[in-house]
Amino acid sequence: MRFHGLYHTRTSNNSHIQRRVLSSYCDGEDSLLPVLIVGGGPVGLVLSILLTKLGVKCAVLEKNSAFSRHPQAHFINNRSMEVFRKLNGLADEILRYQPPVDLWRKFIYCTSLTGQVLGSVDHMKPQDFDRIVSPVSVAHFSQYKLMRLLIKQLEDIGFHIRSNGLMNSDDSKLAERDILLGHECTSINVTEKCVNVTAYLTREGKRVKKDFQCNFVVGTDGAGSTVRRLMGIDMSGTHDLQKLISVHFMSHELGQYLINERPGMLFFIFNTEAIGVIVAHDLEQGEFVLQVPFYPPQQKFEDFSFRTCEKLIFKLVGRELSDINVLDVKPWVMHAEVADTFVSGNNRIILAGDAAHRFPPAGGFGMNTGIQDAHNLAWKLASVIKGIAPPSILSTYETERRQIAIFNTALSVENFKAAMAVPAALGLDPNIANSVHRTINDTFGSILPSDLQRTILDGIFSIGRMQLSDSLLNENNPLGSSRLSKLKQIFEEGKSLQLQFPAEDLGFRYSKGALVSDGDSSSSARETPTGRRRDYVPSSDPGSRLPHMKIQLLSAFSSKDAFSTLDLVSADNIEFLLIIAPVKESYQLAESAFKVAEEFKVSLKVCVVWQEKPSDGNGSSKTALLPWTNIVDVIEAKNYPTSQSWWDLCQMTDRGAILVRPDEHIAWRAKSEIKNDPLLVLNKVFYSILGSESSCTTGDLDIVPIIPLDEIPETTLVGSMRVDYTDE
């Protein structure tokens, strides 16, 4: 946590630049592991790839002795797929191996998989495939399959998976690029110098203790996070929304039937014998997961044997299956909670993914929000470790991601409520079922034997399911007809469970953090989540994701090769991107940006966006920006003659500029020409983003970094000079 260095005056011919850098954590031992990731799920593995691409050494501890085969999460939204595009073509692999879209685009509501269809909702719209707002589509791909691809990528970049501990059992030095399975973290001790982590593994029937040291610990260890518990971090929100049983099973027979008769992703099934949701993870392979409500203590997990689950599946399918194979049964609890803090232990302990937030699965926000946590965190951790920014920049990770987690929690809850509107319309209000369960617990729990309690509960639920009888739920019955009409209205008005949320998926914006707000953000007031789909509107507001537009290299304008504006942002180093138009004032701004970035020891790329090829054929900006060379000239690749220009899309003039962070979010913009000294403006911008200081030269005398006036004492020292601040 210590820094050395100060500001001092220097002449322009002095090549030495003294600035604040990270002095080494932990006694200057270069061999100390910079980042230890606790938790080997998708979020932890994605973070390890991102950090490695940025040149940061890391390792992973996973308490389980093998990676999970339970499908779990399966919907990957647009923003996560955009992140995966930068992971060595991972998005292309997912799209190649996922089931065909027509097999999973619908949610189907029915009395059984072979019975009456009560309604269906197609969640894919034509614009979801045209790639106008994003260079990649959403995907349906089971979590364990994603894990396989991530593990393959990690192995390709030199990671080693070890299931029996370190190569040397007496060595406490955790090697970079190790993934240690079967290591349960039991204690975390943050010192002034580093983090001490204790883990246990079982070897030859004995528990073996391992002590490790590192600079940072990132807890990506799931909803029941050990890291969160050890750090004493509480969660706020709604605990225990619903208990459920998850049944992973295979049936090629069922998959083929559904492909031919009613393909879909989710099947909501309501009949007099059973109620449940079957998730079709892959119809072609016949892979499914059944989710059913679970009401302990009257119902016990032990009651859900494989044979019992088979019978339950047959009731929901409407007939027996000759090839059913139950693979796994596990209980889980649905929460809607966010950790009170994401960063603790003097900025050394960080939570991400389900360790930081637990959502209802409605809308698939859990894993996707975690992937985007990792994307936000990686470049900031790398900036600290490489001495570009102080550890305080990590507080902006919490500032930015916690606000998104809180919003996504509320959105997931609203979407979950929308899912409950369907059974409620059929006369099966889930709130009543939960109230009945609570009443039994509160009144009979300490009086009646558990078997009798279960008989009462099952009897009440059985009576409730009679609302779904064929004699009642049909068009000829006035009550049944009314309920079916209400159900149809829910589907038509988009008030049922939704799959896609483009406005929130691509349009989420950080209102404060490692950015400079211009006070003119069009989306300053975030809409209250409704649980309904809203379309994404591109924005250049600071904190927003950079809008996607197809562009081409100006030098290769005659070719058909187009790429996304998002591809201008590097995934392999900490590099900021400045986007300008080919005008004199913007070139001057770019020159200042290069100078400031050099002082901050951070890479900068300048992209010059041309709306049309110059008539004289001289379309290179490199001459105008010499001696700087990290410059790219591009031209808009319009789909139609009437397509918006880049600057119109961003609602700016071509005299403006956009500065983009390494995570593709906009750090700062100038909507029109800058009137003040661009060197001073950009120095303040980079200081606000990185939280570290530079010394920018004007003539022969350095200029002290711009700091908000209320943070500057009346008298201070700059180098050996006393300076009195009496006015601006």
Side-chain angles (χ1 to χ4, degrees):
M1 303 295 294
R2 295 165 294 168
F3 285 82
H4 298 298
L6 48 80
Y7 287 102
H8 60 97
T9 58
R10 66 171 172 85
T11 58
S12 58
N13 61 359
N14 185 348
S15 61
H16 172 69
I17 300 171
Q18 186 174 356
R19 63 189 299 269
R20 291 190 174 190
V21 296
L22 191 60
S23 67
S24 63
Y25 279 72
C26 281
D27 295 331
E29 284 199 50
D30 293 336
S31 61
L32 195 70
L33 185 73
V35 180
L36 175 61
I37 299 167
V38 178
V43 177
L45 298 190
V46 167
L47 179 60
S48 63
I49 295 174
L50 291 170
L51 289 174
T52 302
K53 288 174 73 68
L54 293 173
V56 174
K57 298 176 182 179
C58 62
V60 181
L61 290 187
E62 166 57 44
K63 69 177 181 180
N64 293 309
S65 58
F67 295 110
S68 174
R69 279 293 313 272
H70 205 87
Q72 296 172 286
H74 56 95
F75 178 68
I76 307 175
N77 67 21
N78 261 134
R79 187 63 187 129
S80 293
M81 288 293 283
E82 289 177 352
V83 174
F84 290 164
R85 286 179 74 243
K86 300 291 185 74
L87 300 187
N88 307 314
L90 177 61
D92 290 337
E93 283 192 280
I94 291 170
L95 293 175
R96 187 182 311 123
Y97 295 131
Q98 72 166 354
V101 174
D102 286 343
L103 298 187
W104 55 265
R105 60 190 298 158
K106 292 182 180 181
F107 291 176
I108 295 176
Y109 301 80
C110 53
T111 57
S112 73
L113 294 185
T114 56
Q116 178 187 359
V117 174
L118 303 173
S120 67
V121 179
D122 188 342
H123 291 281
M124 305 301 289
K125 295 185 176 181
Q127 62 264 36
D128 296 330
F129 304 101
D130 59 18
R131 303 194 178 187
I132 296 297
V133 298
S134 175
V136 65
S137 303
V138 300
H140 173 48
F141 198 64
S142 298
Q143 180 172 314
Y144 79 90
K145 295 179 181 178
L146 172 62
M147 290 284 291
R148 287 177 181 171
L149 298 182
L150 292 171
I151 292 165
K152 176 64 167 58
Q153 284 214 8
L154 287 164
E155 290 175 334
D156 289 344
I157 59 176
F159 274 75
H160 302 282
I161 299 174
R162 309 191 193 281
S163 58
N164 60 347
L166 302 173
M167 297 301 290
N168 182 351
S169 60
D170 297 324
D171 187 4
S172 64
K173 293 291 190 300
L174 185 57
E176 64 168 304
R177 305 195 186 191
D178 263 353
I179 300 176
L180 301 184
L181 300 179
H183 284 66
E184 182 178 3
C185 178
T186 57
S187 73
I188 298 173
N189 180 31
V190 180
T191 71
E192 183 181 347
K193 297 180 178 181
C194 60
V195 182
N196 295 306
V197 177
T198 298
Y200 281 86
L201 72 151
T202 301
R203 181 184 291 160
E204 296 177 354
K206 298 180 180 179
R207 279 173 60 84
V208 179
K209 179 182 177 183
K210 289 290 181 183
D211 293 314
F212 307 118
Q213 285 190 330
C214 58
N215 286 328
F216 296 97
V217 169
V218 182
T220 59
D221 50 340
S225 172
T226 297
V227 174
R228 186 182 67 234
R229 176 178 55 80
L230 291 174
M231 296 307 297
I233 299 173
D234 293 329
M235 302 197 83
S236 298
T238 304
H239 187 78
D240 195 359
L241 276 170
Q242 179 75 62
K243 293 182 175 67
L244 298 107
I245 295 291
S246 179
V247 183
H248 181 200
F249 70 96
M250 304 289 292
S251 172
H252 184 73
E253 177 187 339
L254 178 60
Q256 290 303 304
Y257 168 79
L258 292 174
I259 287 174
N260 295 325
E261 299 297 330
R262 53 181 73 167
M265 176 194 284
L266 265 60
F267 296 85
F268 298 83
I269 306 163
F270 310 94
N271 62 49
T272 56
E273 293 188 280
I275 294 174
V277 179
I278 290 182
V279 183
H281 279 261
D282 193 323
L283 289 178
E284 292 178 321
Q285 295 180 1
E287 184 170 28
F288 302 89
V289 169
L290 166 64
Q291 306 282 4
V292 291
F294 176 45
Y295 297 96
Q298 291 78 20
Q299 296 177 346
K300 296 179 175 60
F301 173 61
E302 295 75 20
D303 297 336
F304 290 85
S305 66
F306 280 21
R307 182 57 186 158
T308 298
C309 291
E310 286 180 5
K311 292 179 179 179
L312 181 58
I313 292 166
F314 295 159
K315 292 176 181 178
L316 294 168
V317 171
R319 62 178 173 84
E320 293 191 2
L321 301 169
S322 61
D323 65 344
I324 189 168
N325 180 19
V326 175
L327 302 175
D328 188 23
V329 181
K330 59 193 297 185
W332 64 283
V333 183
M334 185 189 301
H335 305 287
E337 297 178 307
V338 177
D340 292 344
T341 182
F342 287 14
V343 181
S344 61
N346 296 327
N347 293 319
R348 291 183 182 274
I349 313 298
I350 305 163
L351 301 179
D354 288 353
H357 38 72
R358 307 192 289 201
F359 307 144
F365 288 99
M367 183 183 71
N368 287 300
T369 304
I371 297 298
Q372 292 148 35
D373 288 344
H375 197 221
N376 182 289
L377 177 61
W379 76 271
K380 295 176 181 177
L381 262 177
S383 295
V384 174
I385 291 164
K386 292 177 177 291
I388 294 171
S392 58
I393 195 175
L394 297 175
S395 66
T396 69
Y397 162 72
E398 176 178 318
T399 300
E400 294 175 354
R401 293 306 302 168
R402 192 168 183 274
Q403 73 169 63
I404 301 301
I406 291 171
F407 183 87
N408 285 352
T409 302
L411 182 56
S412 297
V413 170
E414 289 302 314
N415 203 26
F416 175 65
K417 290 178 181 177
M420 296 302 100
V422 171
L426 296 173
L428 297 169
D429 190 338
N431 293 321
I432 294 177
N434 290 329
S435 296
V436 168
H437 182 230
R438 282 194 299 270
T439 300
I440 291 175
N441 286 337
D442 294 342
T443 56
F444 304 135
S446 59
I447 302 172
L448 299 179
S450 58
D451 289 347
L452 183 55
Q453 291 182 47
R454 174 164 184 168
T455 300
I456 295 173
L457 184 69
D458 289 347
I460 294 173
F461 285 172
S462 179
I463 293 172
R465 290 195 300 270
M466 294 307 296
Q467 305 284 329
L468 303 169
S469 65
D470 292 339
S471 60
L472 179 60
L473 198 62
N474 65 74
E475 295 290 352
N476 297 322
N477 185 298
L479 180 58
S481 177
S482 174
R483 288 176 173 174
L484 291 173
S485 176
K486 185 176 182 180
L487 196 62
K488 182 179 179 181
Q489 183 179 0
I490 289 173
F491 296 144
E492 289 177 348
E493 295 179 357
K495 293 182 178 180
S496 61
L497 178 72
Q498 297 298 301
L499 176 64
Q500 291 204 73
F501 294 87
E504 292 76 17
D505 171 8
L506 296 173
F508 69 87
R509 183 179 68 86
Y510 305 132
S511 59
K512 55 184 178 179
L515 53 91
V516 180
S517 176
D518 59 10
D520 189 32
S521 296
S522 60
S523 56
S524 56
R526 182 183 285 272
E527 293 187 27
T528 302
T530 62
R532 299 192 195 182
R533 173 172 172 149
R534 295 186 299 117
D535 289 334
Y536 161 72
V537 178
S539 171
S540 66
D541 291 347
S544 299
R545 155 202 172 267
L546 179 70
H548 157 72
M549 174 180 276
K550 287 183 179 180
I551 54 177
Q552 295 172 269
L553 290 175
L554 188 62
S555 60
F557 179 61
S558 58
S559 75
K560 299 298 183 182
D561 294 332
F563 57 97
S564 171
T565 46
L566 296 172
D567 295 328
L568 294 166
V569 182
S570 173
D572 298 318
N573 65 319
I574 304 169
E575 181 179 76
F576 283 75
L577 171 71
L578 182 68
I579 302 177
I580 60 171
V583 296
K584 178 182 177 181
E585 294 78 9
S586 295
Y587 285 141
Q588 292 172 348
L589 178 71
E591 290 175 352
S592 297
F594 275 124
K595 292 177 183 178
V596 173
E598 185 177 65
E599 297 289 345
F600 276 84
K601 296 291 188 282
V602 67
S603 178
L604 176 73
K605 178 193 293 179
V606 170
C607 173
V608 183
V609 179
W610 299 71
Q611 294 189 41
E612 57 185 24
K613 191 172 178 62
S615 57
D616 59 5
N618 182 18
S620 174
S621 301
K622 293 186 177 180
T623 303
L625 290 172
L626 285 174
W628 316 105
T629 59
N630 196 11
I631 302 151
V632 58
D633 288 280
V634 303
I635 189 168
E636 301 166 1
K638 293 185 177 181
N639 292 318
Y640 311 101
T642 57
S643 297
Q644 282 185 301
S645 73
W646 169 252
W647 300 107
D648 288 340
L649 180 71
C650 295
Q651 300 180 34
M652 297 169 56
T653 73
D654 63 0
R655 295 298 193 271
I658 298 172
L659 183 67
V660 188
R661 308 188 320 193
D663 63 352
E664 301 169 359
H665 280 256
I666 295 170
W668 167 81
R669 71 172 173 187
K671 297 189 75 172
S672 57
E673 183 181 346
I674 294 175
K675 302 298 183 182
N676 298 325
D677 185 340
L679 201 65
L680 295 178
V681 170
L682 287 165
N683 186 54
K684 183 176 181 179
V685 165
F686 274 89
Y687 173 76
S688 298
I689 296 165
L690 295 173
S692 59
E693 300 119 344
S694 75
S695 51
C696 296
T697 304
T698 301
D700 290 336
L701 186 66
D702 285 350
I703 301 222
V704 180
I706 297 174
I707 302 171
L709 291 177
D710 58 358
E711 297 180 15
I712 301 176
E714 292 182 2
T715 301
T716 190
L717 289 177
V718 180
S720 58
M721 299 186 300
R722 174 181 168 128
V723 180
D724 292 315
Y725 294 89
T726 56
D727 54 35
E728 294 186 2

